[in-house]
Structures are given as structure tokens and as C-alpha cells.
Amino acid sequence: ARAQFRGGNTSAAISTLEADEERTMEHTPSALALTYLKLQSERDDEAEQIASRLRDLNPDDSMAHAMYGEVLAKSGDFIGASSAYDAALAIDRNEQFTVRAYRIRNQAGLDNAVEPLVEFLAERPLNHNMRMFLANAYESLGERVNAAAQYEEVLSTKPDNVVAINNLAWNYFVLDDPRAEETARAAYSLQPENGHVLD
């Protein structure tokens, strides 16, 4: 099935996986592949049936819940997709699931869309990439005070992070915080040829 898909023959890959569907469903990677291929082929209802069955067969498998969430998201059911990702995160709170859960919550217009990011950082506070992502998420939501706080947190352990310094300067500027200019100068002193810093 992999070879057929890579060769551009999605229909043949689906047929291969469907030839013995019981065995396919017993092998999670194969079932996930079949679900993905159905989605790619715009056979969304069939994909949802497979993903739902896979999730029921493997309630402790985070990927099964995540795939079900992806199927629901493609159909526009972002509330259902968010719940599916909550189940995936309860099993495995990894970066990929966390970011996707935030994006789905944001698309759904749910209150506190950043909650998965906040919970991730409560467990792994020194993950600077995720903290930067959270700061950007707050910016996109117009929550400048919270964004600034996250950049400040990054700089408490990574004082030479130019992106964090520069973004913090901009947030200070928007907030009319008098520290904006000195913060921008700090970024400039580290990377005077960086176009974003110069701006």
C-alpha cells in the first residue's frame, strides 16, 4: 500500500488495505493509513467510520484519538475534533498534539483556546519553543500583556534570544510600556543587521 501510494496510485493503496479489512484494523499503522487515504480521496464519511472504529478498538492509543480528531476537523466539526484531541493529550501530551489542539480550539472559537499550550508548559516549563509559540498565540488573540509575560519568561533563562527580545519590544510598544525602546535597542545590539530588528 505504501509503494502504491508513493507511486501515485491512491485507489490501489486503498484496495490493498481493504482486501483484508479485519487485519488492517488490527494493525494501527495500517488503519491510520487507510483513514488518511480515504480523507485524501474525499471519502470523508468512510474515513470517519474507520477512525471511529479504530478509536473504539484502541482507547489507549493517542494516535487513534488524534486521527479521529483530524477527520472531524476536516468535516468542520471543530468541537468534536477538540474533544478528540483532549483525549489524545490525556494519553500523550506531546508538542505536535498540543499545537494541533490549540489550532483546532482556535478555529472552533472556543474560550481559552491556549489551554493545551498552558498545560503543556506547566509540565515542561523550560520548553522555549512551546513558550514562544504560546506568546505568539497570545499576540494573535490580542492578549498583549500575556504575550509579553511569556517573552519575559523565555528571557529569564535565555537572555540572548533575539526573537523574544524583539517581539517583547514590540509588545511593550503596543502597550505604551516605557521599556519598549531600551528593549528594542537590546535586540539591535545583538543583531544590528536583522531586518526585523531594524524595523
Side-chain angles (χ1 to χ4, degrees), residues 32 43 120 126 131 142 171 174 191:
L32 290 169
R43 294 160 67 174
F120 180 98
L126 295 180
R131 195 168 294 284
N171 280 279
V174 173
Q191 289 191 8

Side-chain angles (χ1 to χ4, degrees), residues 7 23 54 60 66 73-75 83 112 124 129 163 168 175 178-180:
R23 290 188 67 187
L54 178 64
D60 297 324
K74 188 169 187 289
S75 71
S83 295
N112 202 13
R124 283 163 266 192
N129 289 335
V163 175
L168 178 59
L175 292 167
R179 293 173 290 178

Side-chain angles (χ1 to χ4, degrees), residues 51-52 54-56 58-70 72 78-94 97-98 100-102 104-105 115-116 119:
S52 178
L54 178 64
R55 179 199 58 178
D56 293 343
N58 302 277
D60 297 324
D61 190 318
S62 60
M63 279 299 300
H65 290 283
M67 179 57 82
Y68 186 59
E70 289 303 318
L72 295 178
F78 295 112
I79 301 296
S82 178
S83 295
Y85 263 99
D86 285 346
L89 288 171
I91 299 165
D92 181 11
R93 193 176 298 283
N94 64 49
F97 289 170
T98 299
R100 189 66 180 131
Y102 156 71
I104 286 173
R105 281 171 170 253
E115 185 176 333
E119 290 179 350

Side-chain angles (χ1 to χ4, degrees), residues 24-178:
T24 293
M25 294 306 300
E26 289 171 2
H27 183 240
T28 300
S30 295
L32 290 169
L34 181 57
T35 306
Y36 173 79
L37 293 172
K38 296 271 190 178
L39 285 176
Q40 290 293 301
S41 302
E42 302 297 329
R43 294 160 67 174
D44 296 357
D45 290 343
E46 294 173 36
E48 184 172 348
Q49 290 175 0
I50 296 165
S52 178
R53 185 177 170 201
L54 178 64
R55 179 199 58 178
D56 293 343
L57 288 170
N58 302 277
D60 297 324
D61 190 318
S62 60
M63 279 299 300
H65 290 283
M67 179 57 82
Y68 186 59
E70 289 303 318
V71 172
L72 295 178
K74 188 169 187 289
S75 71
D77 180 6
F78 295 112
I79 301 296
S82 178
S83 295
Y85 263 99
D86 285 346
L89 288 171
I91 299 165
D92 181 11
R93 193 176 298 283
N94 64 49
E95 287 188 36
Q96 180 183 349
F97 289 170
T98 299
V99 169
R100 189 66 180 131
Y102 156 71
R103 288 183 170 146
I104 286 173
R105 281 171 170 253
N106 200 30
Q107 285 180 286
L110 294 177
D111 290 336
N112 202 13
V114 299
E115 185 176 333
L117 305 172
V118 172
E119 290 179 350
F120 180 98
L121 286 165
E123 295 178 4
R124 283 163 266 192
L126 295 180
N127 187 313
H128 297 101
N129 289 335
M130 191 63 76
R131 195 168 294 284
M132 291 289 288
F133 189 91
L134 175 59
N136 281 312
Y138 278 132
E139 282 181 335
S140 70
L141 295 169
E143 299 184 25
R144 296 286 179 175
V145 172
N146 285 332
Q150 293 304 315
Y151 289 126
E152 289 168 349
E153 187 66 29
V154 170
L155 294 171
S156 70
T157 53
K158 293 283 185 180
D160 292 336
N161 186 319
V162 174
V163 175
I165 298 169
N166 198 55
N167 290 0
L168 178 59
W170 180 252
N171 280 279
Y172 281 162
F173 174 70
V174 173
L175 292 167
D176 291 324
D177 189 308

